[in-house]
Amino acid sequence: MEIFAFGITAISGVFLFVLGLVMLLTVFGLPGNWIMLILVAVWHFVLPMPSALNIWYWIIVLAIAVVGEVMEFFLQVKQAKKYGSSNTGTVGGVIGAIVGAILLAPFLFGIGAFIGAMLGAWCGCFVFELLRGMDSRTAARAALGAMFGRFLGTVTKLGCGVVIWAITMQYIWPDPQNLPFHFRWLPEVPQGSMPHDGPMSTVLGFVQSLVC
């Protein structure tokens, strides 16, 4: 049983590290939160744990992921409006952010996607406002709001990813009581257990037979 406990702890640690890296994809304009949840779903089927990743877990993390998406869009629109953007300019900012992230994604090891989203939001809003007949100075100010909103939206979305990651850690870590933090409001958080029979359990059993 000791080899199981050590193996599950090591695998859980590596998996959480990978999830943390995937979460950072949000900075590069990619759906990091959703990719992270897909990987957690794969983990659930490869290494199912008793009482882990129950329906409440999925309801909570999916709700947080949706909130992140909504806030990313809402903040860009709100800031653009705050700085004087019209509906047309706001749409231009959203389109520009997407295009900019795609065009600059290959540069600076992916960081270009984040920079491209910021610049694209500004350029998209600025161009659309000029086409609408707004003077360049007012259009530039509106575009600044779109860019600032995009930045706040990305930060908020990343923050939602951090919360999802932390909740996931508390659910899949073999002994969550030893974690340095606890979400007391989470329902049915597992208190540490061994996996059911499955592919990973078979592998660990084989390793244990070799050691013993």
Side-chain angles (χ1 to χ4, degrees):
M1 296 298 291
E2 293 180 358
I3 188 68
F4 274 99
F6 175 78
I8 293 300
T9 300
I11 293 172
S12 299
V14 171
F15 180 66
L16 288 167
F17 177 74
V18 171
L19 289 184
L21 295 179
V22 170
M23 176 184 63
L24 295 178
L25 293 177
T26 298
V27 177
F28 307 138
L30 297 173
N33 292 349
W34 296 105
I35 297 175
M36 183 165 54
L37 291 180
I38 290 174
L39 291 178
V40 173
V42 173
W43 165 274
H44 175 68
F45 288 107
V46 172
L47 187 65
M49 303 284 284
S51 302
L53 305 181
N54 52 46
I55 185 62
W56 287 112
Y57 165 81
W58 290 109
I59 290 175
I60 291 171
V61 296
L62 287 174
I64 295 173
V66 171
V67 168
E69 298 293 336
V70 172
M71 290 302 297
E72 180 183 39
F73 178 79
F74 172 76
L75 287 172
Q76 180 172 346
V77 172
K78 180 181 179 181
Q79 289 299 316
K81 292 285 188 181
K82 181 179 179 181
Y83 281 72
S85 175
S86 64
N87 290 333
T88 302
T90 300
V91 171
V94 172
I95 295 175
I98 296 174
V99 174
I102 294 174
L103 292 179
L104 295 186
F107 302 99
L108 299 177
F109 304 99
I111 299 178
F114 177 73
I115 299 174
M118 301 300 106
L119 295 178
W122 190 94
C123 293
C125 183
F126 182 72
V127 171
F128 272 55
E129 292 294 11
L130 289 181
L131 293 175
R132 184 173 170 272
M134 184 180 289
D135 65 90
S136 59
R137 183 171 183 176
T138 305
R141 186 175 186 278
L144 182 63
M147 182 176 68
F148 185 50
R150 181 68 184 189
F151 173 78
L152 289 179
T154 300
V155 172
T156 301
K157 187 176 178 179
L158 183 62
C160 289
V162 171
V163 174
I164 292 174
W165 181 84
I167 291 175
T168 301
M169 175 183 283
Q170 193 159 340
Y171 267 85
I172 71 173
W173 192 252
D175 190 4
Q177 293 300 318
N178 290 330
L179 292 175
F181 59 89
H182 300 281
F183 295 112
R184 302 296 183 184
W185 46 270
L186 286 177
E188 300 180 28
V189 177
Q191 300 301 314
S193 54
M194 296 304 298
H196 290 307
D197 291 336
M200 196 59 66
S201 178
T202 302
V203 172
L204 291 176
F206 175 72
V207 174
Q208 183 180 24
S209 66
L210 292 179
V211 174
C212 298

